[in-house]
Amino acid sequence: MRKSDGACARIPFRIDRMSEEDLPEVVEIEELSRLSRWGYWGYARELALPERSILLVARPAEAHIPRRVLGFLCSTLVLEEWHIYNLATHPNFRRQGIARALLCHGRALAEARGARCALLEVRASNLPAQRLYEQLGFYVFHRRANYYADPPEDALLMRCDLFPLSAHQEHAP
Ligand SMILES: CC(C)(COP(=O)(O)OP(=O)(O)OC[C@H]1O[C@@H](n2cnc3c(N)ncnc32)[C@H](O)[C@@H]1OP(=O)(O)O)[C@@H](O)C(=O)NCCC(=O)NCCS
């Protein structure tokens, strides 16, 4: 691909909270990434629950890139658990640290809100995502047979221990 296509070109980005204006591009990336379908209204419903959801996007830091969203994270807090539902980077901007940055930012927000562990499910064949999660300290704790459909496949359940702000404070001198 030529650099002018936007593919493979490394671009500066920043992490921001998702807003309703981002949803068309979030849904586009979801479709390009063949994720379980949440669709516009699935994300809109989470946006309406800011007390529990952590919804982030990566945006180009330079105005000349004609996109609002390069990648996104959809997650929610359930008591002391941080549940990661969807994470994807636009295919043209992968392998630039965008998903890692989204996860690290989300993790800091979850810890600040008291989360003690992170949980997610991933297709057994999705090695890129598994490598990413392992890099950030996640490990497989269960395999759920035939969890996914279309195509049918096992799910790996992964978790990661977190360090909520209150725990930092408890250990502070
Ligand atoms: C998985 C996915 C989110 C990674 O996004 P990304 O922005 O390209 O990831 P990053 O650039 O932040 O990669 C961070 C690390 O993840 C691992 N990784 C990412 N893509 C990889 C690949 N294709 N092959 C092997 N490891 C990969 C690497 O360890 C990488 O670190 P490195 O580049 O320093 O080696 C992206 O490939 C994607 O959107 N896939 C489709 C949707 C999906 O599967 N989501 C996860 C659902 S559970």
Side-chain angles (χ1 to χ4, degrees):
M1 289 270 189
R2 287 172 294 121
K3 204 171 176 185
S4 57
D5 293 331
C8 304
R10 274 192 173 264
I11 61 163
F13 62 88
R14 65 189 162 86
I15 306 298
D16 210 355
R17 287 185 190 276
M18 192 186 290
S19 71
E20 205 173 329
E21 291 73 43
D22 296 323
L23 293 187
E25 289 192 20
V26 166
V27 172
E28 177 203 4
I29 295 171
E30 179 195 81
E31 286 169 1
L32 288 169
S33 302
R34 297 166 192 218
L35 291 171
S36 307
R37 191 169 154 70
W38 276 51
Y40 185 97
W41 294 110
Y43 297 108
R45 201 173 49 237
E46 288 300 311
L47 277 177
L49 299 167
E51 66 286 354
R52 53 163 244 186
S53 63
I54 295 178
L55 297 164
L56 299 173
V57 293
R59 299 191 195 286
E62 293 173 351
H64 65 89
I65 306 285
R67 289 195 64 82
R68 292 180 62 88
V69 180
L70 303 173
F72 72 94
L73 167 74
C74 172
S75 63
T76 197
L77 289 162
V78 180
L79 302 175
E80 294 183 336
E81 297 173 349
W82 179 38
H83 290 249
I84 296 166
Y85 293 135
N86 265 349
L87 170 71
T89 299
H90 188 288
N92 287 357
F93 301 101
R94 288 185 184 161
R95 220 62 200 265
Q96 301 193 32
I98 289 176
R100 183 169 45 226
L102 284 163
L103 275 175
C104 289
H105 201 101
R107 174 187 180 137
L109 292 174
E111 287 179 335
R113 286 156 69 173
R116 289 182 179 275
C117 77
L119 294 163
L120 59 86
E121 290 144 10
V122 59
R123 281 184 178 268
S125 65
N126 191 347
L127 298 182
Q130 289 166 42
R131 294 294 90 80
L132 165 68
Y133 297 135
E134 282 163 6
Q135 207 181 63
L136 296 178
F138 283 81
Y139 58 90
V140 175
F141 70 95
H142 187 61
R143 187 177 186 113
R144 211 170 259 165
N146 290 317
Y147 178 74
Y148 292 105
D150 197 21
E153 192 175 352
D154 293 357
L156 301 182
L157 274 60
M158 300 185 82
R159 76 170 267 154
C160 173
D161 294 326
L162 302 182
F163 299 95
L165 216 51
S166 55
H168 290 308
Q169 284 159 354
E170 279 162 25
H171 290 106

